[in-house]
Amino acid sequence: MATTASIKLYTNRNCPWAHRVHIALAELALPFEEEIIDYSKPRTPEYLKINPSGKVPTMIYNGHIIIESAIITQFLADSVASTHLIPRTGEAQGALVRAKMAFFVETYFSKANIYYYGAIEAKTDEDAEDLGKRYLDAVVTDVEPLLRDAKPFFNGSDKLTMAEVLTASFIMRIFTLPFTEDAPLPKSMIAGLGEKAPNFYAWAQAAMKHPSVNSIYNGDACVAEMRDRRAKARALA
């Protein structure tokens, strides 16, 4: 496929799922048109025709509608002739590396990141602290061993890989939101993480410093949105 495709991204920059696609587009140096979907307003009939769920991200690539962030990012990586994000079939041990990346991402989301929204929407601060500790324990037990070869990125790569593309947007939020006023995430999520999970901690720091990861991140806007999400969840509790 040509890399001069027409790409339009429907997004909300506060959304970590949409943030994934921004990272991939930046790493692949693909030009695109951006349309912000405002969460505070009902979705327009025009957007619901494109994506009936009303969610972001949605990408239109040469007229074809593609939804779901993991599918979009994988498609983008496949759309170029050569990329550092993921090894190609036929390269030495490429299939093995892809399997390792997939296992890492699945482990992170199924074992650790499941507590992210739970901690934000917890009924009480005490419940949030408990969920934060569960996140930390899962990182130490399940995720830390998978990053022993990170230098600084997954599997010894010196460039971002799909492992970072799919996780770093959440890492940014987990490392920054607990240290804000009226924090929507508990500090227990990362308390002592550098000592308990040094591989994960060093990998996360490298990922967060990368321009493709942090260029669109607006901490204040994310904090405000997550505070509002917490308030609505507690009002319904």
Side-chain angles (χ1 to χ4, degrees), residues 15 33 37 62 77 88 92 114 166 191 209 226:
C15 172
E33 178 187 354
I37 301 299
N62 284 346
R88 295 299 190 192
I114 54 172
L166 294 175
K209 291 175 183 177
M226 292 301 100

Side-chain angles (χ1 to χ4, degrees), residues 10-26:
Y10 295 88
T11 183
N12 183 298
R13 291 187 169 199
N14 292 339
C15 172
W17 305 106
H19 191 170
R20 287 171 148 185
V21 182
H22 286 272
I23 296 170
L25 287 165

